[in-house]
Amino acid sequence: MESEKAKILPFYVLIDVSASMSGDKLDQANRIMPQVVDALAEAPILADKVRFCVIDFGSDAQVRLPLCDVLDQHSSLPSLTIRGATSYAAAFRLLRSEIEVNVKQLKADGYLVHRPAVFFISDGEPTDPEHEWRTAFQDLTAGFPTYPNFVPCGVDSANPRTLATLIHPASGPKQMQMYLMEKGQNPADAIAAIAEILISSMLASGQSMAQGSSGMILPAKQDLPAGISAHSSDDFV
Amino acid sequence: MAAPEEGPVRPVPEGKWQGYVEPFVVGDPGRAAAGVVPLPDESAWDRKDTVLDAFALREGRARIVEVRAASVRGLAHRAYGKVRQDEYGFRRTANGRYLVVCVADGVSSGELSHKAAMIAAKGGARWLAGLLDRTEPADLPWGQFIRGVAVMIERNGRKLLRGRDDLDAEKCDVREVAQRLATTVLYAVIDLHAVDGTHAVHVVTVGDTSAWVLREGGRWEPQEAVKNDGAEVFSPTVHALPLPPATEPVPVRTTVRAGEALVLMTDGIGDPLGQGTGPVGRFLADVWERPPASGLEFAGQIGFARKSFDDDRTVVAVWPVNGR
């Protein structure tokens, strides 16, 4: 084991690939990772520290891009394809096991690991029983020392009330937010806007690391792209 | 300056030239080393990117120690147009007996933290040298001294913060001052009078600046606990002045002799050094087996490229010399 302390900022993107995502929405979802790569190529300080993982979920959940340095020539970007229903439970369970394994490995390799950040993008309601995905989310966020900062993002028919319960932490100084497509917007454009938020959050978090903070930084409300609104957990009760 | 071991610089035939500067790299340099476009901090034009020193201290005509010092702005601060927040300072006492060294690391989140580091390094070293004119190192009132440095930072901080809309510089709590300027600090007192070839050293630290002795054979010996060992996820909280330390500072006493070096550093270099057993430890042990020929070379070594290590780096190193 090396004795050094390089800092790592792990980002996980969870993307809904249920049947309703087909068409323009999936095309936009497929453009998220190339945009992330372009942004990191312009930000060498951050690129040396950020690791990215892409998980998609439909009837089941799959790791499409294992946590890696996306500018590394050996990592190739996944192409997402549609797979049936919308199992939130499968997504949360897989995310938890990935985070657990990844953080353990990174720490064994001698890294200092910042709290993982998760962008969860969905266009619909979960199709699995409520108690199942609630239990899976509970396992991901409570009593899990390396719980992630969880940012739900909803487009199209996603239910704001459901997604609002996924904001984590929901309160306190490091409170996260939820991003929603505004009514009447084109959902594919909304996914592009969410990618923009993800990238500016990543850049801001990198800058705040350089200023001694370890927190994840989300863009201010006035800096949000058009067609997207930000909410905290108490906006929907 | 060239160390005597290096021999004279050979003349180059007329009309030709030689020499080059090549960056030091340990392992994967990362993308930042070559990719960062350095920007100035437009709020502090007079703050230097890199400062360095190299000198010997003598007793009569005999060299006692070689000193090398450098403070280098980190890649992240270059990329984001922020000043170097690290600082160092040193003083030999008036009677020539002791060398006082300070290494300070301004807390990143405070926009004026470089000022706190400068006060601690320069003002603190001068004050400590003054105390040593009438006190033995073993009897130094460290707690009182550290609290005094904290007050010095707080007072200067209030002056610097005058006229702000967002706080009352005179009346606000010291914690609010500390949010704008704060620094970790390490002070070392080296007895220049060797006993049986060894120099006694006293070190006091507040925060995560660290003192090491590079022992013979390239072994790094930490003189304090190493930070963040065993934490679940990384948390960058540190103790920093002007907030008074929670516990009375306890000096660490060690010794250093010819063939060894006392190395005082900020976490910008302490973090990649880790426990001293990795590649950075081997690299620095190799190049610092003897004092580097020049301050420029020393600064170049401190500025080595290694992926994801982009903080400011400051080191003051002292090599005892067998009196000749």
Side-chain angles (χ1 to χ4, degrees):
Chain A
M1 178 180 141
E2 294 205 11
S3 63
E4 304 189 23
K5 296 171 177 183
K7 291 168 192 145
I8 292 287
L9 188 57
F11 264 84
Y12 293 81
V13 187
L14 270 64
I15 304 174
D16 188 339
V17 290
S18 60
S20 57
M21 280 286 290
S22 56
D24 289 350
K25 285 188 270 183
L26 190 74
D27 291 345
Q28 276 302 341
N30 269 316
R31 287 168 66 176
I32 293 176
M33 285 314 295
Q35 286 173 287
V36 166
V37 170
D38 288 349
L40 285 174
E42 296 288 309
I45 288 285
L46 190 58
D48 283 346
K49 293 178 187 157
V50 165
R51 297 285 187 278
F52 243 92
C53 169
V54 178
I55 291 173
D56 68 6
F57 62 97
S59 321
D60 63 353
Q62 292 178 13
V63 176
R64 303 308 306 270
L65 179 71
L67 192 72
C68 67
D69 178 341
V70 290
L71 294 190
D72 194 318
Q73 52 187 349
H74 303 297
S75 56
S76 62
L77 296 178
S79 175
L80 309 173
T81 49
I82 297 298
R83 280 199 322 276
T86 312
S87 174
Y88 279 18
F92 299 154
R93 281 191 211 114
L94 183 61
L95 175 63
R96 189 192 191 284
S97 69
E98 282 301 301
I99 288 177
E100 192 162 32
V101 169
N102 295 157
V103 171
K104 201 171 183 183
Q105 184 61 53
L106 286 167
K107 286 170 75 175
D109 292 342
Y111 290 101
L112 285 178
V113 184
H114 284 259
R115 192 164 295 292
V118 176
F119 273 74
F120 177 86
I121 304 169
S122 176
D123 76 332
E125 291 262 26
T127 52
D128 34 17
E130 180 163 353
H131 73 269
E132 235 178 79
W133 62 261
R134 289 236 181 259
T135 307
F137 190 72
Q138 184 76 10
D139 290 344
L140 174 67
T141 50
F144 182 35
T146 50
Y147 71 82
N149 290 315
F150 200 97
V151 180
C153 306
V155 302
D156 224 354
S157 329
N159 183 342
R161 281 193 169 70
T162 303
L163 286 183
T165 63
L166 302 181
I167 300 171
H168 191 82
S171 58
K174 302 205 166 165
Q175 167 183 356
M176 290 293 114
Q177 289 192 319
M178 163 176 71
Y179 295 102
L180 288 180
M181 178 183 96
E182 288 177 343
K183 282 211 168 65
Q185 290 291 319
N186 174 336
D189 292 347
I191 291 176
I194 288 164
E196 220 177 288
I197 292 171
L198 188 160
I199 287 165
S200 46
S201 160
M202 186 179 73
L203 295 174
S205 304
Q207 182 148 8
S208 93
M209 274 169 83
Q211 285 158 21
S213 154
S214 70
M216 176 179 173
I217 307 291
L218 293 171
K221 288 195 180 182
Q222 67 269 20
D223 296 335
L224 291 180
I228 292 282
S229 56
H231 305 269
S232 50
S233 63
D234 49 11
D235 288 1
F236 296 86
V237 285
Chain B
M1 57 160 274
E5 296 84 16
E6 298 288 310
V9 175
R10 284 208 197 90
V12 181
E14 207 59 46
K16 302 226 175 162
W17 62 272
Q18 67 177 33
Y20 62 100
V21 176
E22 193 179 17
F24 287 89
V25 175
V26 181
D28 178 354
R31 301 173 189 93
V36 162
V37 177
L39 301 175
D41 186 331
E42 303 201 3
S43 68
W45 285 106
D46 292 326
R47 183 75 177 151
K48 303 299 174 208
D49 180 276
T50 298
V51 290
L52 53 91
D53 285 284
F55 56 81
L57 294 179
R58 299 197 299 186
E59 187 72 68
R61 296 186 58 183
R63 277 187 307 151
I64 316 167
V65 293
E66 287 282 348
V67 179
R68 301 290 180 271
S71 182
V72 179
R73 185 162 70 131
L75 288 170
H77 282 156
R78 287 178 185 165
Y80 297 122
K82 301 287 177 200
V83 287
R84 170 174 52 86
Q85 294 172 314
D86 277 10
E87 193 56 88
Y88 65 80
F90 38 61
R91 278 282 188 291
R92 188 176 187 178
T93 52
N95 61 12
R97 174 73 187 263
Y98 301 106
L99 171 65
V100 170
V101 177
C102 176
V103 170
D105 180 354
V107 172
S108 309
S109 51
E111 82 249 44
L112 292 173
S113 284
H114 61 290
K115 298 277 190 187
M118 289 161 78
I119 294 162
K122 295 175 180 178
R126 188 170 56 229
W127 186 13
L128 186 53
L131 290 176
L132 285 162
D133 283 338
R134 44 186 192 277
T135 318
E136 299 279 310
D139 300 330
L140 278 171
W142 283 108
Q144 204 184 322
F145 168 68
I146 293 292
R147 284 189 292 276
V149 174
V151 168
M152 194 152 64
I153 293 168
E154 182 187 341
R155 281 198 191 135
N156 277 279
R158 290 189 191 276
K159 264 186 228 164
L160 291 164
L161 294 168
R162 263 183 213 155
R164 298 250 176 151
D165 298 333
D166 58 337
L167 86 168
D168 182 338
E170 298 306 325
K171 295 196 184 113
C172 70
D173 192 89
V174 62
R175 276 170 294 194
E176 290 192 76
V177 177
Q179 277 169 17
R180 275 88 179 173
L181 72 163
T183 188
T184 73
V185 73
L186 176 153
Y187 292 98
V189 175
I190 299 112
D191 191 341
L192 295 172
H193 177 74
V195 177
D196 296 333
T198 69
H199 296 267
V201 178
H202 288 78
V203 178
V204 160
T205 56
V206 178
D208 53 11
T209 34
S210 60
W212 299 75
V213 176
L214 179 55
R215 296 291 180 202
E216 239 167 323
R219 183 172 59 86
W220 287 96
E221 187 184 277
Q223 305 301 317
E224 281 284 325
V226 177
K227 80 166 177 183
N228 259 310
D229 273 359
E232 196 63 56
V233 285
F234 167 61
S235 161
T237 49
V238 291
H239 301 288
L241 304 181
L243 296 180
T247 54
E248 195 73 2
V250 179
V252 173
R253 190 165 187 258
T254 188
T255 58
V256 63
R257 57 188 305 138
E260 303 177 333
L262 174 70
V263 185
L264 312 167
M265 64 182 75
T266 58
D267 65 346
I269 200 144
D271 284 351
L273 180 62
Q275 313 276 358
T277 51
V280 171
R282 284 194 294 278
F283 158 61
L284 294 177
D286 284 350
V287 294
W288 293 346
E289 194 184 344
R290 275 181 289 278
S294 70
L296 203 55
E297 194 175 325
F298 189 64
Q301 291 158 349
I302 288 167
F304 67 85
R306 182 157 177 82
K307 186 173 180 176
S308 101
F309 291 103
D310 51 23
D311 202 358
D312 296 342
R313 297 182 187 159
T314 298
V315 181
V316 179
V318 179
W319 284 263
V321 179
N322 268 333
R324 261 168 289 153

